[in-house]
Amino acid sequence: MADIVSGKEVAEALKQKLVDEVDELKSNGIIPGLAIVLVGDRPDSLSYIKGAQKRCSEIGIDCRLVQLPADTSEEEFVSRIRQLNQDRSVHGILVMRPLPATISEDRVKYEISPLKDVDCFNPVNMAKVMSGEEGGFAPCTPSAVMEILDYYGIELTGKRVVIVGRSMVVGRPLSMMMLKRHATVTICHTRTVDLAKETSRAEILVAAAGKARMIKKDMVGSGAVVIDVGINFDENGKMCGDVDFEAVKELAGKITPVPGGVGSVTSTVLAKHVIRACRMLIDQEG
Amino acid sequence: MADIVSGKEVAEALKQKLVDEVDELKSNGIIPGLAIVLVGDRPDSLSYIKGAQKRCSEIGIDCRLVQLPADTSEEEFVSRIRQLNQDRSVHGILVMRPLPATISEDRVKYEISPLKDVDCFNPVNMAKVMSGEEGGFAPCTPSAVMEILDYYGIELTGKRVVIVGRSMVVGRPLSMMMLKRHATVTICHTRTVDLAKETSRAEILVAAAGKARMIKKDMVGSGAVVIDVGINFDENGKMCGDVDFEAVKELAGKITPVPGGVGSVTSTVLAKHVIRACRMLIDQEG
């Protein structure tokens, strides 16, 4: 029977550290600021924003929502990003994705200042994730996975890690982050032949495929650490992960639930990144 | 007994296509131009440049060497790169690395125009390799590996690929390029526990660790495709790869030799990238 990993516990512990950091910044007259840019009104984006705003407010970060109409042109969007790049009260910028089809992500992603790019939208930051260079920002979700592993003292060096999913928001960057920490990393996806054979070998298995309960009990090795990044809704409208939690918990060593796992840590990681961006600016200005 | 893959054959076939492309460009009054920037006079760099110049000349690319003194300052170097970015007769720029310690690669890499960056120095291109976005340039060495696999019709979809080595010039970008082609990719390195167990599972094994003949016969599965990216010199000064070629060829399905394998294709891939950069410029200018 697996230990159930509590994302909330990880988030709370991280939050306490961040509150102290913000207190210190405030005693020097500095309030870390985050601008969340939303074009349109997608319900999933609004739901994420609500959680992020709550978290920021608990930690003492000034969180501002910049909501633009769904028909905002690319030029208007870029001009707004440039204003935020210049705005000295804004230390972090989060652009909610996907953007509407009228705005090309592949063009506008270069506009956000890499120093304020707290969720790794700008390719400059993605390249740093790939090379392992310090001083950039990794995307919040794979960073939340790393926070969980570190909180529970799960060593990565030499471990066989299998990641299911090759997206740019989780699978690919996480593979590079795990590699930097000296894990032996395998990336699987929809075209993998005999997925169960691959996943069964994992000492640490990360499910980030976006398919409800696809990781079954016979796909997991006994004692494995199972990290579920999926957020899906089943046929009854119930939120669930990519892992068949009830069955897999019988044999895993550790497992993250959904909800209450990785997703509970993401917004606190976002806050951590904003505070780091704020400190970087202070350091830069001396 | 393995089929010995001929890098020269791959390079010759590619060269013929490139000669035709350059002929067409020349009939429109355009000569593709490459500038190779060398700071100092490292013998390995000079040796590579000699091969590249020969290849470019055979194909009809104008290849210019910009050799700067070893004590060139970062400012002088950046200013030279900016001149080359502006120079309309230069379509591709190759900066020989490593640069001397006085020039920070992490700072200057952003200066080279991504459109002329034919060996993936600029992080903008590295991020495109990571995301699989079209229109960028991957580094020449992993691109040479892909040329070889494609020339021999080796399918990647669903294949178990194991890459030994996690460098930014080969292992990491190659893992992303293989992933884009739907392979199941495992990246191993010095901290991998039981390397032989991992490499033995490979249907396609890429050795890019930079350690002479480290891949022994008992580390390779029968019938595997073995691609050797290593260029080492053994205790007798003889050039050799990362694979114990004489032993491994007994059981591999296909194997690249060293010399005569991947290294024979790299400079032709460089020429291919210069021609593509030239075409991109023409397309951009209408």
Side-chain angles (χ1 to χ4, degrees):
Chain A
M1 191 69 180
D3 293 337
I4 313 295
V5 166
S6 168
K8 288 208 174 104
E9 190 182 317
V10 179
E12 275 309 303
L14 178 55
K15 181 185 134 183
Q16 282 314 313
K17 278 199 275 184
L18 299 179
V19 165
D20 293 346
E21 286 194 50
V22 170
D23 284 348
E24 198 201 317
L25 287 166
K26 285 190 174 164
S27 72
N28 289 309
I30 297 153
I31 301 169
L34 168 67
I36 303 181
V37 181
L38 173 67
V39 185
D41 57 359
R42 286 177 62 104
D44 55 347
S45 290
L46 285 166
S47 157
Y48 179 87
I49 291 167
K50 207 173 141 186
Q53 284 176 317
K54 182 165 173 289
R55 205 49 163 174
C56 284
S57 138
E58 288 163 2
I59 292 171
I61 292 170
D62 177 36
C63 180
R64 181 195 315 175
L65 175 61
V66 179
Q67 192 166 6
L68 304 173
D71 63 354
T72 299
S73 72
E74 199 169 288
E75 291 67 31
E76 286 167 323
F77 176 82
V78 167
S79 144
R80 202 71 190 82
I81 294 291
R82 288 181 183 165
Q83 279 172 32
L84 294 170
N85 286 343
Q86 295 300 324
D87 188 331
R88 292 177 55 82
S89 70
V90 171
H91 303 99
I93 303 169
L94 172 67
V95 174
M96 295 307 297
R97 289 173 273 170
L99 289 164
T102 44
I103 300 174
S104 162
E105 285 189 18
D106 280 346
R107 276 197 298 270
V108 302
K109 65 190 178 186
Y110 297 101
E111 293 292 340
I112 184 170
S113 164
L115 299 171
K116 297 190 175 187
D117 177 30
V118 288
D119 195 30
C120 199
F121 188 26
N122 192 314
V124 165
N125 278 317
M126 195 51 87
K128 285 186 180 177
V129 170
M130 187 161 171
S131 66
E133 191 183 330
E134 300 292 335
F137 294 100
C140 291
T141 302
S143 300
V145 173
M146 302 305 279
E147 287 287 343
I148 291 171
L149 294 171
D150 288 343
Y151 180 82
Y152 285 95
I154 297 163
E155 176 61 44
L156 282 158
T157 300
K159 289 288 172 63
R160 268 198 313 279
V161 172
V162 177
I163 299 170
V164 183
R166 53 176 160 171
S167 74
M168 277 299 275
V169 282
V170 188
R172 287 175 202 228
L174 185 59
S175 70
M176 295 293 130
M177 293 160 81
M178 296 274 199
L179 203 58
K180 185 181 180 185
R181 299 283 292 277
H182 311 301
T184 299
V185 181
T186 299
I187 312 162
C188 299
H189 43 79
T190 47
R191 310 295 274 276
T192 293
V193 175
D194 203 345
L195 181 61
K197 195 168 154 189
E198 299 299 323
T199 56
S200 302
R201 299 181 77 244
E203 293 172 280
I204 299 170
L205 176 61
V206 181
K211 203 170 154 196
R213 300 192 184 104
M214 68 169 287
I215 303 292
K216 306 291 183 195
K217 193 174 174 178
D218 61 357
M219 298 170 73
V220 179
S222 177
V225 174
V226 179
I227 307 285
D228 191 348
V229 184
I231 297 180
N232 312 289
F233 293 89
D234 70 11
E235 56 286 359
N236 303 314
K238 195 185 162 201
M239 187 190 279
C240 69
D242 289 354
V243 176
D244 185 0
F245 182 80
E246 289 305 324
V248 172
K249 76 174 188 204
E250 302 296 326
L251 89 169
K254 284 191 167 58
I255 187 167
T256 66
V258 177
V262 177
S264 311
V265 183
T266 313
S267 62
T268 314
V269 167
L270 174 65
K272 179 182 174 177
H273 287 185
V274 174
I275 294 166
R276 192 151 68 81
C278 182
R279 287 183 175 283
M280 278 163 60
L281 189 75
I282 295 168
D283 288 348
Q284 207 187 29
E285 295 185 343
Chain B
M1 194 69 179
D3 295 336
I4 313 295
V5 166
S6 167
K8 289 210 174 101
E9 190 182 317
V10 179
E12 275 309 305
L14 178 56
K15 181 186 133 183
Q16 283 315 314
K17 278 198 276 185
L18 299 180
V19 166
D20 294 344
E21 286 194 50
V22 171
D23 284 348
E24 198 201 316
L25 288 166
K26 284 191 175 166
S27 71
N28 290 308
I30 298 154
I31 301 169
L34 168 67
I36 302 181
V37 181
L38 173 67
V39 186
D41 57 359
R42 286 177 62 103
D44 55 348
S45 291
L46 285 166
S47 156
Y48 179 85
I49 290 168
K50 207 174 141 187
Q53 284 177 318
K54 181 164 176 287
R55 206 48 165 173
C56 283
S57 139
E58 288 164 2
I59 292 171
I61 292 170
D62 177 35
C63 181
R64 180 195 316 176
L65 176 60
V66 180
Q67 193 166 5
L68 305 174
D71 64 353
T72 299
S73 71
E74 198 168 289
E75 292 66 33
E76 287 167 323
F77 176 83
V78 167
S79 143
R80 202 70 188 85
I81 294 292
R82 287 182 184 164
Q83 279 173 30
L84 293 169
N85 286 343
Q86 295 300 325
D87 188 330
R88 291 176 54 83
S89 70
V90 171
H91 304 99
I93 303 169
L94 172 67
V95 174
M96 296 307 298
R97 289 174 273 170
L99 289 164
T102 44
I103 300 175
S104 162
E105 285 190 17
D106 280 346
R107 276 197 298 268
V108 303
K109 66 190 177 185
Y110 297 100
E111 294 292 340
I112 185 170
S113 164
L115 299 171
K116 296 189 175 186
D117 177 29
V118 288
D119 194 31
C120 199
F121 188 26
N122 192 315
V124 165
N125 278 318
M126 195 50 87
K128 285 186 181 177
V129 171
M130 187 162 171
S131 66
E133 191 183 331
E134 300 292 335
F137 294 100
C140 292
T141 302
S143 301
V145 172
M146 302 305 279
E147 286 288 342
I148 290 172
L149 294 171
D150 287 345
Y151 179 82
Y152 284 96
I154 297 163
E155 176 61 44
L156 282 157
T157 300
K159 289 287 171 63
R160 268 198 312 280
V161 172
V162 177
I163 299 170
V164 183
R166 54 177 161 171
S167 75
M168 277 300 275
V169 282
V170 188
R172 286 174 203 227
L174 186 59
S175 70
M176 294 294 130
M177 294 158 81
M178 296 274 199
L179 203 59
K180 184 181 181 185
R181 298 282 292 276
H182 311 302
T184 299
V185 181
T186 299
I187 311 161
C188 299
H189 43 80
T190 46
R191 310 295 274 276
T192 293
V193 175
D194 203 345
L195 181 61
K197 196 169 152 188
E198 300 299 324
T199 56
S200 303
R201 299 180 76 244
E203 294 172 278
I204 300 170
L205 176 61
V206 181
K211 203 172 155 195
R213 301 191 184 106
M214 67 169 288
I215 303 292
K216 307 292 183 194
K217 194 174 175 180
D218 62 357
M219 297 171 73
V220 179
S222 176
V225 174
V226 179
I227 308 286
D228 191 348
V229 184
I231 297 179
N232 313 290
F233 293 89
D234 70 11
E235 56 287 0
N236 303 315
K238 195 185 162 201
M239 187 190 277
C240 69
D242 289 354
V243 177
D244 184 1
F245 182 80
E246 290 305 324
V248 171
K249 76 174 187 205
E250 301 296 325
L251 90 169
K254 286 191 165 57
I255 187 167
T256 66
V258 177
V262 177
S264 311
V265 183
T266 312
S267 61
T268 313
V269 167
L270 174 65
K272 179 182 173 176
H273 287 185
V274 174
I275 294 166
R276 192 150 68 80
C278 181
R279 288 183 176 281
M280 278 163 59
L281 190 75
I282 295 168
D283 288 349
Q284 207 187 28
E285 295 184 343

